[in-house]
Amino acid sequence: GKGYVLNGSKTYITNGFLSDVVVVVAKTSPEKGAHGLSLFLVETGTQGFDKGTRLKKMGLKAQDTSELFFEDCYVPAEALLGEENKGFYYLMNELPQERLQIAAECQARAEAAFEEARRWTNERIAFGKPLFDK
């Protein structure tokens, strides 16, 4: 039956090493640019799909990050997520929500860091005096 052959690699994929299924964005109509992208579900163990080693990073060490490799990786038509060439639209539909979530998390982390710095400066004694005089 009709299927697709995926070739290429992806780097810095969150949860890529431990995943059982990955969503892959691939060009199905390269001449259409962004309008020729499709989404595919690819299961671990699919021939031609390999995972690289876990990448070392500075933060979020409990969350694995890895490379993914696709070499003549055949996926059946049923692996297409949504409609062919609509992948860009699906991704852009979710992107604003993801950015808002990330912004809220960053704001919360900044506030926590500021409060920790304030607590520390109020408690710290240097040269016999409080570092920050209330």
Side-chain angles (χ1 to χ4, degrees):
K2 183 181 179 198
Y4 301 86
V5 177
L6 305 177
N7 282 293
S9 61
K10 304 288 282 181
T11 305
Y12 295 108
I13 303 304
T14 303
N15 299 321
F17 190 79
L18 294 175
S19 63
D20 293 325
V21 177
V22 295
V23 177
V24 177
V25 181
K27 295 178 182 178
T28 46
S29 296
E31 70 282 359
K32 294 182 178 179
H35 304 287
L37 299 176
S38 298
L39 305 180
F40 297 93
L41 295 173
V42 181
E43 296 183 29
T44 297
T46 300
Q47 188 173 353
F49 170 45
D50 289 309
K51 299 176 185 180
T53 59
R54 289 184 181 183
L55 300 175
K56 293 182 180 179
K57 354 176 247 195
M58 290 178 61
L60 298 174
K61 294 181 185 272
Q63 182 182 65
D64 79 84
T65 303
S66 68
E67 296 174 303
L68 304 178
F69 301 99
F70 303 89
E71 186 175 340
D72 295 328
C73 178
Y74 174 82
V75 292
E78 297 80 35
L80 179 65
L81 186 59
E83 295 179 46
E84 188 175 83
N85 297 326
K86 298 287 186 185
F88 179 77
Y89 302 104
Y90 300 140
L91 295 172
M92 291 301 105
N93 188 49
E94 296 301 318
L95 190 60
Q97 184 66 30
E98 290 176 17
R99 286 186 173 162
L100 180 60
Q101 178 184 354
I102 291 169
E105 181 180 345
C106 289
Q107 178 65 32
R109 288 176 184 259
E111 287 180 23
F114 177 78
E115 291 303 325
E116 178 63 17
R118 182 193 334 235
R119 182 199 61 73
W120 184 83
T121 57
N122 285 328
E123 294 175 1
R124 175 78 167 119
I125 304 293
F127 305 106
K129 298 181 188 177
L131 186 63
F132 182 73
D133 195 4
K134 299 177 190 177

